[in-house]
Amino acid sequence: MEEPKNTPPTTPFESNKGPKTPFSWNNIRILVLIAYIAAPVSLFYGGVLLSGIGLICAIIALRRVSNAIKRDPEHADSIRRFKSSAWVAIFVTGLAFAFNMVAVAIVLPVVLEAVQTGDLSTLEQLYGQDLSSLSGSTTGSEGSSSKPGSVWG
């Protein structure tokens, strides 16, 4: 006679769990949610890096959904909802990434020129703010003052 293996007892809550699927629904849902949140936030705060992270998360979610449809055809209808959601996330984060790249392409030459020359007046024109307080231009010990807006004095 064979003895039963030592297994922990099951509670009624554990026995009523539904059938397990071979992929993680939560993982795909979280990746799509990250992509949805990263796209608009990157337009205001994060820039190219955050929109790139959102785009990568959306692409990973789409690949996982495609693999899940192949592995689990009986749940394919419910998985397809995640697929359409992942495609929308790819579109939105791709659009945010493109907008951020255009903004970098427009602003980067001006910023590099300001850093090389030490003259913040070009940034003042770009942003419309008085940046001379950041330049640190003060009167020297001999009473001569540096060029206004110059970083290097």
Side-chain angles (χ1 to χ4, degrees), residues 8-25:
T10 59
T11 64
F13 296 109
E14 291 175 343
S15 62
N16 289 337
K17 288 183 180 177
K20 295 196 175 200
T21 56
F23 69 96
S24 173
W25 294 74

Side-chain angles (χ1 to χ4, degrees), residues 58-77:
I59 291 171
I60 291 172
L62 182 68
R63 290 192 56 164
R64 288 189 180 177
V65 166
S66 298
N67 290 338
I69 289 174
K70 291 175 188 173
R71 279 187 267 149
D72 194 10
E74 66 231 16
H75 293 105
D77 293 334

Side-chain angles (χ1 to χ4, degrees), residues 48-133:
V48 176
L49 181 65
L50 187 58
S51 61
I53 290 171
L55 187 61
I56 289 170
C57 286
I59 291 171
I60 291 172
L62 182 68
R63 290 192 56 164
R64 288 189 180 177
V65 166
S66 298
N67 290 338
I69 289 174
K70 291 175 188 173
R71 279 187 267 149
D72 194 10
E74 66 231 16
H75 293 105
D77 293 334
S78 57
I79 298 171
R80 280 193 179 85
R81 285 184 278 157
F82 286 117
K83 189 172 187 176
S84 63
S85 206
W87 275 113
V88 170
I90 286 174
F91 175 74
V92 170
T93 54
L95 197 62
F97 187 77
F99 284 151
N100 286 325
M101 287 300 291
V102 167
V104 165
I106 290 171
V107 172
L108 189 64
V110 176
V111 171
L112 288 177
E113 180 184 346
V115 168
Q116 288 174 351
T117 62
D119 185 17
L120 293 178
S121 64
T122 56
L123 292 178
E124 289 175 9
Q125 293 169 359
L126 181 67
Y127 291 111
Q129 296 178 1
D130 182 25
L131 301 176
S132 61
S133 62

